[in-house]
Amino acid sequence: MGDLIEEWATQVAEAALSGTLPQRWAHTQGVAKRAVAVSQTLGQDATLLVAAATLHDVGYAPQLVVTGFHPLDGARFLRDEHGADERLVRLVANHSFALLEAEERGLREELASEFPLLEEPLLVDALVYCDMTTTPDGGRTTAEERVTEILGRYGDDSLVGRFIRRAAPEVFSSVERVEAALAAQPR
């Protein structure tokens, strides 16, 4: 079952992103690769993490843009067009502290009511870790370097800049928790 959802996620993400947004597709592949590397910390949720990592930015695809907020657009697409697993959809909708950005966009209530946060801290943290330790072109980075890169790309006073400055302490905490869980894994 696990291989099937990962294969499906890859097909959906590749179809949506590879042709129109090749750099976003490269980032997505890097995030998925990070998910495979950390999935041993999640037991039975390993495949769910990999699928969410693969689909987390699908809402950037031009043909899927409705609100202009990729976590919400992507989650709605996965739910409405694919009947995707509820936990998967909620992970995509809320990845990397999306509620904080939704607030900046005036969409917090819409996101929170339609796609409530999962009460599964390690799974949520693992997706943050994978996303926020992967560069835009799919390479590895630190969370600190990633936040700096996002600020440089969007600007301090942009909507995304305001969001990432607010989210940074939470991002760093998530990354630390996942690194601690990885360090505690038997070798």
Side-chain angles (χ1 to χ4, degrees):
M1 173 67 177
D3 289 342
L4 290 178
I5 192 168
E6 290 176 25
E7 187 177 312
W8 167 80
T10 300
Q11 290 172 352
V12 170
E14 184 174 15
L17 298 171
S18 67
T20 55
L21 299 171
Q23 187 176 31
R24 185 67 57 187
W25 174 234
H27 168 73
T28 295
Q29 291 174 295
V31 174
K33 193 178 290 184
R34 296 288 279 167
V36 169
V38 304
S39 63
Q40 77 273 13
T41 63
L42 294 169
Q44 66 185 24
D45 286 332
T47 57
L48 179 60
L49 172 65
V50 174
T54 304
L55 292 164
H56 81 286
D57 277 353
V58 73
Y60 276 116
Q63 68 273 24
L64 303 183
V65 173
V66 176
T67 67
F69 183 44
H70 78 277
L72 185 57
D73 292 340
R76 286 176 172 167
F77 165 73
L78 294 170
R79 179 194 62 201
D80 299 344
E81 299 298 320
H82 291 280
D85 174 83
E86 180 189 357
R87 291 170 68 220
L88 172 63
V89 172
R90 288 169 62 187
L91 280 168
V92 169
N94 289 289
H95 76 272
S96 300
F97 301 99
L99 273 177
L100 294 175
E101 186 174 345
E103 192 172 295
E104 292 283 336
R105 294 175 178 273
L107 295 170
R108 183 182 175 100
E109 193 54 46
E110 196 169 340
L111 181 65
S113 63
E114 202 168 328
F115 302 105
L117 281 172
L118 280 180
E119 296 297 326
E120 300 177 58
L122 185 57
L123 181 57
V124 170
D125 283 346
L127 184 56
V128 172
Y129 173 86
C130 295
D131 186 21
M132 297 305 293
T133 61
T134 303
T135 64
D137 60 0
R140 291 181 68 164
T141 191
T142 66
E144 292 78 9
E145 289 169 343
R146 179 85 159 107
V147 167
T148 299
E149 179 275 319
I150 291 167
L151 284 169
R153 189 165 21 123
Y154 289 95
D156 272 358
D157 293 328
S158 69
L159 186 147
V160 174
R162 290 189 308 271
F163 148 69
I164 201 64
R165 281 197 328 269
R166 287 179 61 206
E170 298 297 330
V171 167
F172 301 151
S173 292
S174 285
V175 168
E176 287 173 12
R177 288 188 295 268
V178 172
E179 287 173 345
L182 287 168
Q185 286 289 304
R187 302 255 172 225

